[in-house]
Amino acid sequence: MSSRNNLIDGRAIAQQIHLETSARVSALAKRGIQPGLVFIRVGEDPASQVYVGMKEKKCAELGIRSVTQVLPGSTSQSELVGMIDSFNADPQWHGILVQAPLPRHIDPATIYSRVAPSKDVDGFHPLNVGRLMLGDPTGFTPCTPGGVHELLIRSKVQLEGAEVVVLGRGNIVGKPMAALLVQKGRNANCTVTLCHSATRDIPTHCRRADIVIAAMGVPAFLKADMIRPGAVVIDVGVNRIPDPTARGGSRLVGDVDFAEVQPKAGLITPNPGGVGPMTIAMLLANTVRAAE
Ligand code: GUN
């Protein structure tokens, strides 16, 4: 059964978006504009180093100029604010991304509201969060929920009227994901249930869903007995768990117990190779839009 191909190929769909983005980069070049994206990384979080490295590499492939500012973990909030202000004022940079997580002494809300809304390719500024909530398409959509939305649309998943369960209420994925899917209009119009740590009976909610989006950060949380046969399952989780048999003593697992759930699902994202590549594709698309 597990050989049944019900996989949503995030790498292939991301590649399609990269082709579209690349054409837009060429059109901008004819106008003498090269999109520019600044990454700011504070401290030495190993996962953040890997993520920013992958994003930089894709920028280079697509002809987007990028620079990474690495600040020590001891950087003060006011120093970081000062750096954001200087990039806000510099017209050669169209996008600014401050990689999360930030050190504990820095308040993320202060930082994300400091990035100019017109350069906020992460979609974390309160103005862009508000636009998303209002269904105003002029804002920037956060990259991970935006990527999940594109995966569903391009996989021709029926969204209008669909029952969707989002697991996790984080500001980066769960909340904006719910906001995207409840909007009135084509490619949305879902009935969304947002489950979280205080939800009384998560399995009962999940079993009613046509689409389950797991983004709560609990390794292999979603089991086969929690989904309806044929449900569409999207795994946003990236969890590092100890594994003495793995190289380095640990490995990455999603929020979905893939081996169990895949045979029962209608469509499912592999992890890795599902949502991850889409996040990068949406970031670069947002950057090009900022430049346009
Ligand atoms: N850390 C994990 N995901 C993200 C993201 O989408 N943007 C930023 N800036 N940091 C992250």
Side-chain angles (χ1 to χ4, degrees), residues 48 51 55 97-101 112 122 124 143-144 172 279:
S48 292
Y51 290 145
K55 292 170 189 174
L97 182 148
V98 184
Q99 184 69 24
Y112 291 116
D122 253 334
F124 293 171
C143 303
T144 301
I172 295 184
T279 298

Side-chain angles (χ1 to χ4, degrees), residues 2-288:
S2 62
S3 63
R4 186 164 71 95
N5 188 4
N6 58 353
L7 300 181
I8 296 178
D9 187 345
R11 289 198 181 101
I13 296 172
Q15 192 50 41
Q16 181 61 45
I17 293 171
H18 286 311
L19 287 175
E20 296 162 17
T21 303
S22 175
R24 292 162 65 189
V25 172
S26 302
L28 281 169
K30 294 202 179 85
R31 293 161 51 193
I33 298 165
Q34 183 181 23
L37 174 57
V38 178
F39 298 101
I40 302 176
R41 191 158 67 62
V42 188
E44 296 305 325
D45 179 62
S48 292
Q49 292 179 29
V50 173
Y51 290 145
V52 171
M54 285 163 44
K55 292 170 189 174
E56 281 183 299
K57 185 161 162 275
K58 266 292 166 206
C59 281
E61 282 174 33
L62 290 192
I64 295 171
R65 182 191 310 160
S66 75
V67 68
T68 301
Q69 302 287 332
V70 181
L71 300 175
S74 59
T75 302
S76 71
Q77 181 164 301
S78 61
E79 285 172 283
L80 179 55
V81 164
M83 178 177 275
I84 292 168
D85 286 347
S86 70
F87 286 117
N88 280 341
D90 185 343
Q92 72 173 312
W93 298 110
H94 305 96
I96 300 170
L97 182 148
V98 184
Q99 184 69 24
L102 291 166
R104 295 252 299 270
H105 64 277
I106 296 179
D107 171 39
T110 302
I111 295 307
Y112 291 116
S113 57
R114 194 75 181 202
V115 175
S118 62
K119 299 191 178 191
D120 173 36
V121 290
D122 253 334
F124 293 171
H125 189 286
L127 186 67
N128 286 318
V129 176
R131 286 168 170 156
L132 177 68
M133 187 56 77
L134 293 169
D136 171 353
T138 67
F140 288 107
T141 301
C143 303
T144 301
V148 170
H149 194 208
E150 279 297 319
L151 274 186
L152 292 170
I153 293 168
R154 292 176 189 240
S155 303
K156 308 234 179 327
V157 173
Q158 168 72 34
L159 289 173
E160 291 202 33
E163 294 279 346
V164 179
V165 164
V166 178
L167 300 173
R169 58 176 150 191
N171 289 331
I172 295 184
V173 186
K175 279 192 238 172
M177 189 77 248
L180 268 172
L181 293 175
V182 291
Q183 298 303 325
K184 191 165 184 139
R186 275 190 64 229
N187 291 328
N189 248 341
C190 301
T191 302
V192 180
T193 304
L194 186 53
C195 295
H196 48 73
S197 53
T199 300
R200 247 184 285 137
D201 186 354
I202 291 178
T204 297
H205 289 292
C206 290
R207 282 186 210 110
R208 288 183 34 239
D210 302 305
I211 302 168
V212 179
I213 301 171
M216 85 287 239
V218 179
F221 175 85
L222 191 77
K223 305 291 184 192
D225 66 2
M226 293 166 66
I227 68 158
R228 198 174 57 61
V232 175
V233 176
I234 307 289
D235 187 1
V236 185
V238 182
N239 309 291
R240 187 163 286 284
I241 60 164
D243 178 354
T245 70
R247 195 158 43 95
S250 68
R251 67 190 163 91
L252 293 174
V253 294
D255 288 354
V256 174
D257 188 328
F258 183 86
E260 265 196 20
V261 172
Q262 190 237 339
K264 191 173 175 187
L267 289 173
I268 185 168
T269 55
N271 189 350
V275 175
M278 291 299 290
T279 298
I280 299 182
M282 301 314 286
L283 172 68
L284 303 193
N286 277 350
T287 301
V288 170

